[in-house]
Amino acid sequence: MRESEEQFYEVPCGKCKIDGRDKIVPGDGVPGRAMFVGMCPGEEEAKEGKPFVGKSGRYLRKIISEVGFKGSDCYFTNVVKCRLIEGKNKNRAPTLDDMKFCGAFVQQEIREKNPSIIILLGDPPLKYFLNKSPVAKYRGMLFKNKGRTFFVAHHPAYLVRLKLDHKEHILFKQDMARAYKVLYGIKDEKVGVEKVLCDTHEKVLDALDTLEGRKFVCDIETDAPGKVKERKALDPWAPGFKITLMGFATRIEDGAIKAFSIPLEHKESPLNFEETFSVLQKFFEIGRAHV
Ligand code: URA
């Protein structure tokens, strides 16, 4: 530890009025890349003297390693360096006053460790650094402030309280993957789109086969005689109303998108009336399976 850090982490530092301090928990990890900033240590952290080693810390470390972060990319710390308790032995989140009191340490840490990205975990660090709240509104977002790059994410303690199949777990992992890409300046790859004009009956059947069992999006183009302004094309009961084209897009195995255009009651349609009818019927069957 450098001399300046020794002064900071002298136990007890005696700068605030927190009771029941076990241990001051300094930041830990490798400087220069990603700094993960939580609110304050929990019980296990206070016992071990290391940040993010309890249940939520293990969750965080697992997810970030799954999206590519190496140990050498990460530095972990908290805005408040001591565990905060209420009642008998219950963790409590820091107030803005607690953070203002202790925040000089994390500010100093940022200057010394010079991270490329600071990942704010949960509401308290978000409020402290960017004066924003709630985290649910800002998660996944990137902010530049005073020459630093901040990325906002939920606190892992929030996620460990949710059911395993809750969609927030997926979103959290996506957020961490984004933070990793920001750290390494990785641009999102453009997803390839394969466009298929179904101008033969075989291609139409192939399109319907591809859609079967997959989620897809659909766009239906319609027309009707009469003036455009009368919007007859939007009225299926208008005389002469027809479905001119159906467009579908779905993701295929490698993540690429396949988009089909099927001309129906249109001069380019490969289908006769009965075939058009059976294609529509099949389409509604496939669609119903997803409802
Ligand atoms: N929660 C935090 O905010 N920090 C830790 O170090 C552990 C849990």
Side-chain angles (χ1 to χ4, degrees), residues 109-124:
E109 248 175 330
I110 291 173
R111 284 192 292 275
E112 289 189 357
K113 309 297 174 190
N114 195 23
S116 308
I117 182 169
I118 300 168
I119 298 157
L120 304 176
L121 300 166
D123 254 311

Side-chain angles (χ1 to χ4, degrees), residues 7-27 38-52 77-86 89-95 97-99 101-106 109 124 155:
Q7 287 160 13
F8 277 151
Y9 302 124
E10 194 187 310
V11 179
C13 80
K15 288 195 193 339
C16 73
K17 298 184 178 54
I18 296 171
D19 294 329
R21 182 186 295 118
D22 291 308
K23 226 180 214 172
I24 291 180
V25 180
M39 44 192 179
C40 59
E43 190 171 9
E44 286 183 64
E45 286 79 14
K47 278 197 188 116
E48 278 198 38
K50 266 186 150 195
F52 288 104
T77 193
N78 289 295
V79 182
V80 170
K81 304 299 182 196
C82 290
R83 182 180 178 216
L84 299 169
I85 46 174
E86 60 190 355
N89 190 27
K90 207 168 158 269
N91 291 337
R92 78 165 169 86
T95 62
D97 275 350
D98 294 324
M99 293 191 286
F101 226 100
C102 208
F105 296 147
V106 75
E109 248 175 330
H155 192 286

Side-chain angles (χ1 to χ4, degrees), residues 218-251:
C218 167
D219 184 25
I220 302 178
E221 303 298 333
T222 60
D223 200 5
K227 291 190 185 132
V228 174
K229 271 198 196 141
E230 291 168 11
R231 302 178 69 84
K232 292 254 169 63
L234 295 177
D235 174 7
W237 287 273
F241 171 88
K242 55 185 179 178
I243 297 178
T244 51
L245 181 132
M246 292 179 79
F248 303 95
T250 190
R251 269 186 201 280

Side-chain angles (χ1 to χ4, degrees), residues 116-120 126 129-135 137-153 178 182:
S116 308
I117 182 169
I118 300 168
I119 298 157
L120 304 176
L126 175 62
F129 281 101
L130 301 177
N131 195 24
K132 294 189 189 303
S133 181
V135 67
K137 183 170 165 194
Y138 295 100
R139 53 146 280 268
M141 291 189 194
L142 205 57
F143 294 91
K144 300 269 180 195
N145 191 286
K146 298 187 183 139
R148 298 278 171 197
T149 300
F150 292 90
F151 183 83
V152 181
R178 171 145 196 255
V182 173

